[in-house]
Amino acid sequence: MNRYFRELSVAGALGLLLALLAVVAPAFYQPQPLLSLATREAPTLVVACGMALVIICRQIDISVGSQFSVCSVGAGLLAAHGWPAGLVLLASVSIGALLGAFNGVLIAGLRLPSIVVTLATLVSLRQGLNLVRQGEFVNLPDGLQWFGLSQTDGQWTLVAFALGLLLVFAVALRYLSAGRFVYAVGTDTEAARLAGINPQRVTFAVFVLMGALTGLAAMMNIIQSPQVQPLSGNGLELKVIAAVVVGGVAISGGRGSVWGMFAGLLLLACVSPTLTHLHIEAYWEKAIQGAIILLAVVADGLRSRKENR
Amino acid sequence: MSAPLLELRRITKSYAGVHALRGVDFDLQPGEVHALLGENGAGKSTLIRVVTGAHQPDRGSIAIEGKRVTNLTPSAAQQLGVACIYQQPALFPDLTVAENIALRLEPSTGLRLVHWSARRERARNLLARIGASISPETEVRALSMPEQQLVEIACALGAGARIVIMDEPTASLTQKEQHLLFAVVRDLRASGVGVIYISHRLDEIFTLADRVTVLRDGESVGTSLVGDINEAGLIRMMVGREVTQIYPPAETEPGEVVLALKGIGSSACPVHDVTFDVRAGEVFGLAGLVGAGRTELARILFGLTPADRGEILLNGRPVILHSPQEAVAHGIAYVPEDRRRHGVVLEMPIAQNMSMAVHRRIFPGTWLRFGTERRHALDFIRDLAVKAYGPDAPGGSLSGGNQQKVSLARWLATKPKLLILDEPTQGVDVGAKSEIHKIVRRLAKQGLAVLLISSDLPEVLGMSDRIGIMRGGTIAAVLPGKADAQEVMALALGTAK
Amino acid sequence: MRTASTNSAWKSAVFSHEGILFLVLVAEWVFFYHFGTTVNRHDVVVGFGTIDRQFDILRHSCEIGLLALALTPIILTAGIDLSVGSLLGLCAILFGMLWHDAGLSIPVAAAGALVVGALGGGLNALLITWLRLPPLIVTLGTYSLFRGLAEAITRGAVTYTDFPASFLFLGQERWYGLPTQAWIFLAVAALVGLLVHRTTYGRSFRAIGFSPEGARYAGLPVGRRLALVYLIAGVVSALAALIYTSRLGQAKADAGTGYELFAITAVVLGGTSIFGGVGSVTGTLLGVAAIAVLKNGLACLPVVMRMNGAEELSGMLTGALLLLALTGSVLPKYLSNWRASHHSARPQTPT
C-alpha cells in the first residue's frame, strides 16, 4: 500500500475528476467522443512510456516534440513517395532511434547534462525542419489513413495497441533485468557500476528507446489524418513530462512506475474536455497544466520534507 | 600448508608522485581473520583498492589462491571471490533489500526474466544465515547503517566470496549488533573464508583476529600473531614513538563558562539530554564511538540541525541557533569532519576559502577587496604554516593536513568564542597533526573555548582539559583531562560499571 | 573571471575561452562583412558593415542579452531557469493590460510589470529554496504556467498596440547615439557584472555552484542567495518584456517564445559551466554578440535570403553551436582521462 501511495493518490484525483464530470457534465461519457479522446492521447501515451524510462534513469529529454515532428514529416514524405505502410513505420521508428542515439551519445558518452543537450536538439531539429519544409503540410496517400481500416476500427486498434505497449513496459520494467537496471542506474550510478552494470550503456539504450518510441508515436499520429502537420510535435515534451511527473516518477530518478504515469496522463488528458464541459475557455489549459506540474512537485517536496524530519 | 588465499608481494602505488604504498607484503590464509591496522593515511584503503581491483598497483604482484593475477579489475576480483564490505555501503537506496542482493549476484545481462519470489527467498536465506532480522521487502533507504552493512555481508556470502574485506565494520554498530557481527565473522572463518579486518579498535582485534599487520606511512611495519603482541606494542608499531610525548601541555587555567548546554536534544537526530559546559581557555574533548552523536551535537551547535529541546547558553545568555549564520553571529565556529565536502570548497583558491566566513568584516559594503583578501590569506598561511604555492592555489590542490589548516584559518578569522573541531586530524599526516595540536593549544591559551571531537583516543586524552564521553546520543560521563584510556573506552562502549 | 585573486592556471584557461570566443566573433563579423549584402530603405544595396546594421544587431540582441545576463548568476549557482521567456510574455501582456485596460499611465504600468516579474521570479525562488525542489522541474512548471496565463488572459488573441511614441522611444529610437534600449542593456550588464565579479554576492554564487553543502558549512546564507538570483531573473525578464513591447510596438502572449534557449546558449557559449561555479559576464556578453551577429549576418547572405530561412537557420546553428561549446568544454577532460587510463594500465573493461 505504502509503496504505491503516490500512484494511488493520482488515481484518486483522477477518480474525483471523473466523478465530478459525471455529475456536472454527463455528456462527457458518450462513447464516440471518449474514443476520439483516447485515440488522440494514444501516441502521447507511447511517448510518455519512453519519458518515464528516461526520468527513472535520472535524465530528461525535452527534444521529443521536435523528434516527433521530424519523424512525422519524414514518414509522411516516404509514404507520399509510395513506400508501403510497413516500411514507412519501420523508417519512422528508425529515424526516431537515430535521433535518440544522437542525444544518447552526447549524454551517456560525453556525460553532458541531458537538459542542455536536449534543449539544443529541440531547437536544432525544429528549426531545421522549418528551414527545409517552410511549414508545408505533407499530403498522405489514401491507403495510409487508419492503415486502411475503418475509422472506428482504426481508433480501437490504436488505443488497444497503446495500452498493450503500456502493459509491455509495465511488465518489462518489473520483470526484465534490463528494466531493473534502469531503476538501478537512476537510483545510484556508482552502486550500479559496482554491481557490474554499465550505466552509460543503460543510459544510451534508454535514449535510443525514447527516440524509437517517439518515431512509433509519430506514425500512430499521422495515420489519423490525411495530412501531416509539420508542427504536430510542438509542446509534446511538456505534456509527457507533466504526465510522468504528476504520475509520481521522481525527477531525481529511481522511483516511480508507468502505471503512475498512466494515471497522470489520463488526469491531464481530462483537463481539456473538463474545461469544455464546464464552459471554461480552452486557453486556460496550458496554465492549468503548469499548475498541476507545480502542485505535483510541491506535494512531493512537502512529503520528502516530512520524511526527512 | 595449502596456498594462501591471497598473497601480495612488494606492492607499490603512488598517486601524483606521492607514495601511498611502498613495497607492502601481505598474505591471507583460508580460515583466518587477518587484521589490518594503521593510522588514517597509512595506506590501508589503498591496499584494499588494490585487492578489490579498483586501483592497479604500480609494481608488485598479486596472487589469489596461488594463481598470479595481473590487471585485476573490480569485476575480475569479484569473480575470483573478493568481496568488500565498506563503511558506507554502496547500495541502491530506492530498491528493496531483495533486489539489492539480486543485482549483486545475478549476471548483469539485460534480457533476463526477474524471478521476484526467488529473489526474496534467496535474500531471506542469506539474511537468516547471518542472523539479521531484515525483511527482504524493505527499501534500503529505510534501513539503518548497520543494517545496510548486514545486507552487504549477505551479498558477499551469496557471491560465495572466499576473501572478505571488512572496512571498519563496527564503526556505527551498537553493542548487540557488534556481537552479531562477530558471530558472523567467526562463522565465515569456520567455513574457510579469509577475512581482512580493518579496525581502529584494538579490543576487537584481540577478540577476533588471528594475525595483525600494521601499516605506517605506506609501509608494512610488521605482521604478528595476535597472541604474540599486546596493545602497547601495537600502538608503538602504529605511531612509531611513545604516544604521550607528542601532545603540548596545557598552560592556562580555564576561565568563565562560554558555552553551557542544558538538556539539549533534537527530534531530527539521535541526540538527547546533553548537559555540559565549556570554559574559556579550555579544551573540552568529546570522545565516543562513531555514531554516538558527537557530530550531530556539533551540527546542533552550529545551527545545521536546530535543537528543539533544552537550552543553549552562550556567555550566560540563552541563544537560539536556527542557522549557521546565527551560530557564526554568536561567535561559534565549526571546523567540520568532512573536509573535502564541507570544510573547503576544493575548486576555489585558498584565499577565497579563508575569507568565506568573514565576508562582512573584510569586505565592508559587500565590495570585494582583493588586496585585503590576499593579505588576510597570507597572514594565515604564515601563521598556520600552510604549505601551498600561494593564496591562489585551489583548495583541492593541497594535502589533507593543509586543507585542514585552510578550514581552520577560515574559522579563526571569525575570531570565535567557541571553536568546534570535528576530527581535526583525521587523514592528516603526522607532522601536520602535531602542528594542529600546537595551534589548538595556542588558541586555548588565548582564551578560546575549544570543543574537540575526536575518535583518536590518545589525541582526546592528550589534548583535553576535560573529556565528555558520548554514548547513544547523550553524555555518558565527564572525566578530567588525564583520564585513563581504558576507562574512557569502557564508558564509550558502555561496558563500564 | 578577471580577479586578482584567481589562480593563474585557471585564469589562463578562462582567458583563452573568452579570447577564442572573441576571435570567433571577429571572424564571424569579417565573414558577413565580406559576403553579406542587404538593401536599405532607399533600395540601395549596402553591406553588412553599415552602422545601421550594427545598431540593428544591438537592438535585436537586447532582450535575449538581458535574459542571458539574468541567467548567468543562476547558472553560476549550478541552477537553471527555463521560465524566463514565458515570464517575458506574461509581463508584456500584463503591462499592456495595465496600460490599455486599466488605464494606468505608462510608468505605473511598467512598474506593475516589474512587480509581476519579481513575483514570478519569487515563485521560482520560493519553490526552489523553501521546498528544495530541483530548479529544472520547478521552472519547467512555471515555464508552462506563465505562458499559459499569458494565453489565458489574452484568450490567445488580444494584442495590445498603439503605445504612445514616448514609450516607443525606448525600443525604436536612439538616445545619445545608441539605440535607447542598448543603454539599459549596458547598465544591467554593468550591474550584473559588478554583482558577480566584485561583490560578496557573486562570491557566494560561485561557492554554491561548486559546493552547496560547502557553502552552507561556511555559514553563507545559501537559501537567501539562491532566492536572490531567481528574483533578479524575474525582474530582468520583466525589463526585457518592456523593451520587447516597445521595440515591436505591441504586446502579445507569444512574446519571447524560445528565448530561454538562446539565452542559455549565450551563457554556456560564453564559458559559464553548466555545472556551476565557473563563468563570467564578459563571456556571456561575447556569447550574446556571437549569436546576434550570426543571426543578423545570416539574414544578409544572398544564399540564405533566397532560401527565405534566416530565422530557422540561425536557430539551428545556435543549437549546434551550444552542443559544440558543451562538447568542447568537456572533451579535453574526457580525452585526458582516457589517455590516463590507457597510459597506466589496460582500460577497465566494462561489463
Side-chain angles (χ1 to χ4, degrees):
Chain A
M1 160 69 206
N2 201 15
R3 195 191 303 167
Y4 298 106
F5 174 78
R6 192 59 172 67
E7 281 88 343
L8 290 175
S9 59
V10 183
L14 176 64
L16 274 179
L17 184 65
L18 291 177
L20 175 82
L21 278 169
V23 177
V24 186
F28 174 73
Y29 291 96
Q30 285 166 349
Q32 197 49 47
L34 269 184
L35 181 60
S36 297
L37 178 65
T39 317
R40 269 204 311 278
E41 296 297 330
T44 318
L45 179 60
V46 172
V47 179
C49 281
M51 189 62 78
L53 244 73
V54 169
I55 294 183
I56 288 170
C57 199
R58 204 190 286 185
Q59 302 289 349
I60 197 152
D61 187 346
I62 56 172
S63 69
V64 289
S66 297
Q67 292 182 26
F68 188 89
S69 299
V70 169
C71 291
S72 299
V73 171
L77 288 175
L78 292 176
H81 263 84
W83 285 35
L87 270 185
V88 172
L89 174 65
L90 194 68
S92 180
V93 172
S94 308
I95 295 170
L98 223 70
L99 297 176
F102 181 74
N103 283 334
V105 164
L106 293 171
I107 293 161
L110 293 179
R111 299 188 198 174
L112 293 172
S114 51
I115 175 70
V116 186
V117 168
T118 55
L119 187 64
T121 46
L122 160 87
V123 168
S124 287
L125 291 177
R126 178 173 298 163
Q127 300 292 7
L129 188 67
N130 287 349
L131 182 68
V132 176
R133 299 291 305 162
Q134 301 281 337
E136 216 179 305
F137 281 53
V138 185
N139 291 314
L140 295 174
D142 292 338
L144 196 65
Q145 205 174 357
W146 305 115
F147 279 125
L149 299 170
S150 76
Q151 176 165 351
T152 317
D153 284 355
Q155 286 181 325
W156 280 114
T157 314
L158 271 191
V159 173
F161 179 75
L163 289 177
L165 208 68
L166 173 75
L167 192 66
V168 167
F169 267 90
V171 169
L173 274 176
R174 179 97 185 121
Y175 292 102
L176 198 64
S177 54
R180 303 315 297 173
F181 292 172
V182 177
Y183 281 92
V185 171
T187 177
D188 191 329
T189 316
E190 268 319 296
R193 208 186 300 278
L194 282 175
I197 300 167
N198 182 345
Q200 284 170 282
R201 192 176 295 175
V202 172
T203 308
F204 179 74
V206 163
F207 275 96
V208 173
L209 197 60
M210 172 86 255
L213 286 171
T214 310
L216 181 62
M219 194 63 192
M220 289 168 69
N221 189 46
I222 61 173
I223 59 166
Q224 297 186 23
S225 50
Q227 282 188 320
V228 179
Q229 215 253 74
L231 299 177
S232 49
N234 282 11
L236 178 69
E237 61 280 352
L238 208 67
K239 226 170 142 185
V240 292
I241 292 170
V244 171
V245 171
V246 170
V249 177
I251 201 80
S252 52
R255 287 166 86 82
S257 68
V258 286
W259 293 118
M261 174 277 287
F262 185 47
L265 182 77
L266 289 181
L267 184 67
L268 289 168
C270 288
V271 167
S272 161
T274 308
L275 293 182
T276 316
H277 287 285
L278 294 180
H279 307 291
I280 300 171
E281 284 160 319
Y283 305 111
W284 283 97
E285 190 179 350
K286 201 172 198 172
I288 289 173
Q289 265 181 11
I292 292 178
I293 298 180
L294 288 178
L295 219 61
V297 293
V298 165
D300 285 348
L302 284 173
R303 214 154 71 95
S304 74
R305 230 170 111 104
K306 220 179 199 170
E307 273 172 19
N308 289 343
R309 283 258 158 113
Chain B
M1 199 167 91
S2 62
L5 275 177
L6 172 73
E7 195 170 15
L8 304 179
R9 285 284 162 264
R10 317 282 319 146
I11 296 291
T12 298
K13 173 77 189 172
S14 59
Y15 300 101
V18 180
H19 277 82
L21 290 176
R22 340 173 182 214
V24 171
D25 288 342
F26 184 87
D27 69 303
L28 181 71
Q29 303 293 334
E32 175 190 45
V33 177
H34 192 155
L36 195 57
L37 196 62
E39 291 188 304
N40 286 317
K44 289 170 302 185
S45 21
T46 311
L47 194 67
I48 303 285
R49 289 194 196 110
V50 166
V51 177
T52 55
H55 288 178
Q56 311 281 331
D58 299 337
R59 274 192 299 282
S61 68
I62 308 169
I64 292 176
E65 305 202 57
K67 269 189 265 91
R68 188 162 171 192
V69 286
T70 47
N71 290 326
L72 196 64
T73 59
S75 53
Q78 251 169 36
Q79 272 156 22
L80 290 167
V82 179
C84 184
I85 287 110
Y86 295 96
Q87 248 171 304
Q88 303 264 315
L91 298 168
F92 302 99
D94 292 323
L95 305 180
T96 64
V97 170
E99 179 152 34
N100 266 282
I101 294 175
L103 282 170
R104 289 287 182 82
L105 303 185
E106 291 169 3
S108 56
T109 47
L111 299 174
R112 209 164 24 79
L113 281 185
V114 172
H115 301 285
W116 286 98
S117 53
R119 280 181 160 189
R120 277 191 291 271
E121 197 48 42
R122 174 172 47 201
R124 201 169 289 124
N125 287 339
L126 287 172
L127 290 167
R129 258 175 74 189
I130 54 172
S133 54
I134 302 169
S135 159
E137 287 291 310
T138 330
E139 280 182 16
V140 164
R141 66 164 65 229
L143 297 182
S144 67
M145 205 48 96
E147 286 175 323
Q148 294 191 18
Q149 277 180 350
L150 291 175
V151 174
E152 282 271 355
I153 296 173
C155 288
L157 274 181
R162 299 272 293 142
I163 299 168
V164 174
I165 303 164
M166 295 188 171
D167 189 0
E168 299 212 38
T170 56
S172 52
L173 300 198
T174 63
Q175 195 74 28
K176 204 176 132 208
E177 290 163 337
Q178 274 179 39
H179 287 304
L180 189 70
L181 182 85
F182 288 174
V184 172
V185 173
R186 290 193 180 105
D187 271 0
L188 289 174
R189 171 165 61 189
S191 60
V193 170
V195 177
I196 302 177
Y197 193 91
I198 298 168
S199 176
H200 280 306
R201 309 234 297 252
L202 300 183
D203 56 328
E204 276 177 26
I205 289 173
F206 284 102
T207 46
L208 204 59
D210 302 300
R211 283 193 298 164
V212 54
T213 292
V214 178
L215 291 183
R216 188 173 74 220
D217 301 332
E219 286 178 87
S220 169
V221 185
T223 302
S224 164
L225 285 172
V226 164
D228 294 347
I229 195 163
N230 61 9
E231 273 194 31
L234 274 182
I235 292 175
R236 253 199 310 282
M237 282 170 84
M238 278 167 71
V239 294
R241 73 195 93 76
E242 282 304 317
V243 185
T244 47
Q245 289 174 354
I246 58 167
Y247 295 99
E251 291 167 21
T252 41
E253 279 297 305
E256 296 280 295
V257 171
V258 172
L259 172 78
L261 303 180
K262 290 182 181 163
I264 281 299
S266 167
S267 53
C269 66
V271 172
H272 61 91
D273 303 309
V274 173
T275 302
F276 66 86
D277 54 48
V278 186
R279 293 162 180 277
E282 178 185 46
V283 178
F284 188 96
L286 262 189
L289 304 180
V290 173
R294 295 170 303 163
T295 295
E296 288 76 5
L297 178 63
R299 287 173 52 90
I300 288 178
L301 293 178
F302 197 57
L304 287 159
T305 14
D308 48 22
R309 283 190 303 274
E311 207 178 10
I312 302 173
L313 297 150
L314 269 177
N315 292 336
R317 244 178 272 138
V319 291
I320 294 166
L321 304 169
H322 274 310
S323 68
Q325 294 91 273
E326 285 173 349
V328 175
H330 281 109
I332 298 174
Y334 176 47
V335 177
E337 179 182 10
D338 191 338
R339 269 192 304 278
R340 300 179 64 81
R341 275 182 60 212
H342 302 146
V344 177
V345 179
L346 299 175
E347 296 87 346
M348 290 179 103
I350 56 180
Q352 299 187 11
N353 267 296
M354 285 177 172
S355 67
M356 207 174 276
V358 285
H359 276 173
R360 221 169 270 174
R361 201 183 77 230
I362 69 174
F363 306 129
T366 82
W367 296 107
L368 296 179
R369 297 175 180 201
F370 300 111
T372 315
E373 183 172 52
R374 198 182 163 79
R375 278 193 298 280
H376 174 261
L378 284 171
D379 284 350
F380 275 105
I381 289 173
R382 199 187 48 238
D383 269 15
L384 305 184
V386 180
K387 288 183 198 74
Y389 68 73
D392 291 340
S397 70
L398 272 55
S399 73
N402 286 300
Q403 282 178 7
Q404 190 66 293
K405 287 181 186 172
V406 170
S407 177
L408 194 59
R410 172 194 290 173
W411 290 109
L412 292 184
T414 65
K415 304 206 171 83
K417 291 180 214 140
L418 172 71
L419 177 65
I420 306 169
L421 298 169
D422 196 349
E423 305 284 3
T425 60
Q426 201 174 67
V428 162
D429 65 85
V430 180
K433 189 168 170 176
S434 80
E435 282 177 49
I436 289 173
H437 290 151
K438 282 188 196 123
I439 294 166
V440 170
R441 195 34 85 191
R442 195 177 79 205
L443 293 170
K445 197 176 159 188
Q446 289 164 7
L448 204 65
V450 179
L451 186 61
L452 172 69
I453 300 172
S454 175
S455 297
D456 183 345
L457 196 51
E459 179 176 271
V460 186
L461 293 172
M463 288 299 301
S464 309
D465 298 308
R466 284 187 299 152
I467 301 170
I469 295 111
M470 278 194 88
R471 185 178 75 239
T474 192
I475 295 279
V478 177
L479 299 179
K482 302 296 172 219
D484 178 43
Q486 308 262 319
E487 191 187 356
V488 172
M489 191 41 92
L491 282 163
L493 288 167
T495 54
K497 290 275 141 49
Chain C
M1 188 156 98
R2 298 152 294 110
T3 62
S5 58
T6 321
N7 84 74
S8 56
W10 195 73
K11 190 157 91 184
S12 67
V14 170
F15 175 74
S16 73
H17 184 102
E18 291 171 352
I20 290 169
L21 190 58
F22 183 71
L23 290 179
V24 168
L25 183 62
V26 171
E28 247 185 283
W29 198 88
V30 169
F31 176 84
F32 290 125
Y33 181 78
H34 200 74
F35 295 104
T37 51
T38 186
V39 177
N40 73 4
R41 70 190 93 157
H42 307 297
D43 280 344
V44 178
V45 174
V46 293
F48 178 76
T50 62
I51 200 80
D52 277 345
R53 172 60 70 176
Q54 309 314 311
F55 281 163
D56 210 32
I57 295 175
L58 195 53
R59 229 184 257 290
H60 279 94
S61 50
C62 277
E63 293 117 44
I64 286 168
L66 281 173
L67 298 186
L69 286 171
L71 276 163
T72 305
I74 291 181
I75 297 182
L76 273 180
T77 66
I80 191 105
D81 189 344
L82 301 175
S83 72
V84 285
S86 298
L87 190 54
L88 190 159
L90 181 60
C91 289
I93 285 303
L94 285 170
F95 168 69
M97 206 176 78
L98 286 176
W99 169 72
H100 186 268
D101 298 350
L104 298 174
S105 68
I106 289 284
V108 177
L114 291 175
V115 169
V116 171
L119 287 176
L123 177 63
N124 285 332
L126 182 75
L127 297 178
I128 290 164
T129 60
W130 175 56
L131 286 175
R132 309 226 172 121
L133 295 169
L136 170 64
I137 194 70
V138 167
T139 58
L140 194 65
T142 50
Y143 162 88
S144 182
L145 180 69
F146 295 154
R147 182 69 67 198
L149 285 175
E151 285 174 7
I153 289 168
T154 59
R155 293 181 197 82
V158 179
T159 304
Y160 296 99
T161 50
D162 299 328
F163 289 99
S166 57
F167 176 65
L168 299 182
F169 180 79
L170 175 65
Q172 301 176 357
E173 301 297 325
R174 289 192 202 164
W175 190 59
Y176 285 103
L178 283 183
T180 320
Q181 67 261 54
W183 290 106
I184 295 179
F185 175 53
L186 292 175
V188 172
L191 285 177
V192 173
L194 285 174
L195 181 76
V196 164
H197 295 294
R198 291 281 183 252
T199 69
T200 56
Y201 289 96
R203 191 58 77 66
S204 311
F205 301 158
R206 279 175 210 280
I208 293 167
F210 282 128
S211 166
E213 277 296 283
R216 193 156 163 254
Y217 272 80
L220 297 176
V222 175
R224 265 185 282 157
R225 291 293 177 269
L226 281 179
L228 178 70
V229 292
Y230 290 96
L231 200 66
I232 290 175
V235 175
V236 173
S237 301
L239 200 56
L242 295 177
I243 291 174
Y244 179 98
T245 310
S246 171
R247 176 168 64 86
L248 293 181
Q250 57 175 355
K252 46 187 178 136
D254 67 351
T257 304
Y259 276 21
E260 59 281 344
L261 173 88
F262 290 100
I264 292 169
T265 307
V267 175
V268 174
L269 205 58
T272 299
S273 163
I274 199 79
F275 303 107
V278 179
S280 77
V281 170
T282 320
T284 297
L285 292 178
L286 287 171
V288 171
I291 291 174
V293 169
L294 177 71
K295 195 170 171 177
N296 231 281
L298 283 174
C300 45
L301 285 184
V303 58
V304 178
M305 283 195 275
R306 273 197 299 281
M307 280 167 73
N308 188 24
E311 189 82 8
E312 290 83 1
L313 193 61
S314 72
M316 209 177 116
L317 288 177
T318 305
L321 214 56
L322 176 56
L323 288 181
L324 271 177
L326 277 174
T327 310
S329 69
V330 296
L331 215 52
K333 193 178 75 185
Y334 194 75
L335 281 179
S336 71
N337 283 353
W338 186 78
R339 224 177 273 137
S341 74
H342 275 246
H343 190 70
S344 68
R346 199 171 56 105
Q348 298 191 353
T349 40
T351 47

